[in-house]
Amino acid sequence: MPKGEDAIIRKKNKSIRKKLRSDSAKVSNRIAAIIAQKKRRQSGKRRMCQGMCFSLPTPEDPFNDKQLNLDSKKKDKTVKTKKVWPSKEVNNSTENRKDALQNKGKANGDHQTNGKNQEQKRAKVKKVSIQLDKENTKDEGCPSKFLISCLKTIQNALHHKETFERGKPLFFDQWGFEFWRCYSSGKHVLETNGHATMEQIAWIGSAAVDTITKKEKEGVSFTSPYLVFIVPSQEKATRVRDVWKPLKEFGVHTVSLHPGASIDHQVHGLKTCEPEFLICTPDRLLELVSMKAVDISGVCSLIIDGLESSSGDAYLDSIKSIQQHISVDPHTVVFYGGTNACLAAASSLLPTPMCRLSID
């Protein structure tokens, strides 16, 4: 049977494949030899000298075995230790014991000195802690930087008012510092010089804003309003609102409630805005509380202004009824301008402990 063309082509392909396999085997052996040389070099089978030179392989010694043997002999020579005679070893042991005893004595002395130093350090720490405690007790009544910034914003907004003394910052007011000491210590305040001035209103509002920010940082929640300022007339309500209006920069809203505006408008304003400060006359506040438009059960600060001997019993009774609607114990400030005969009625509005202040 004659062979077909397909069979001839298959034979040729087989021969070509054999040649390719042999060539690839040769190339792979060569590459393997190069990799083996690199591994030997990396494993340290070369002479380390200046310039990182190494001896080249020769036909007689292709793997540099002679050089490796020389290097190993040099290392063995360096490892050998010197012999020591037994008498010298005994002497050295006795000397070491003596040194150990001396070191123990020194160590005991060092421990004693260290104990004395530690006692001295402890005494110094006690003295420093006592001094810091004294300084802290002295600085308890000092206002914070945030309170001073609140006073500055009020003064910058109302510098054109004649009631403020020009060239005198609010945070240099002596009454303000005394009020802050009483306020920070938790004492209620009785001011016996009459109506509240602009400086006193500024200090009261700034102190309240300072405590609000501290509580918010600590995560303590409170119900609004935080402060209620009771005034005898509409004019005084507008004056107090003018002083506290710049505190809106710090997120504190002020609302005044008085008979000069419609009650429906005031109810709508209280629903849309939850103010932190409320300035109100006692009759209008009681009317809104009876309508459940305002909840004053959680008020933290109560300011009473306009209490005089001529104000009558009605004003005093309305203030007492307002206090009955407050379930907590708020910090109370009373401005009294009457005679000493009616002073007992004003002090009855204040719980204990109480602090009496006066501008004069």
Side-chain angles (χ1 to χ4, degrees), residues 229 231 236-237 240-241 244 254-257 277-281:
F229 198 113
V231 291
K236 190 60 181 285
V240 176
R241 190 174 183 278
W244 285 350
T254 306
V255 174
S256 60
L257 306 172
F277 292 173
L278 267 184
I279 308 156
C280 49
T281 56

Side-chain angles (χ1 to χ4, degrees), residues 31-51:
I31 291 165
I34 293 166
I35 292 166
Q37 287 178 1
K38 285 184 178 179
K39 285 182 179 179
R40 283 194 294 274
R41 289 172 187 170
Q42 289 174 358
S43 63
K45 291 182 180 180
R46 65 176 181 179
R47 186 172 61 189
M48 300 295 290
C49 60
Q50 282 187 347

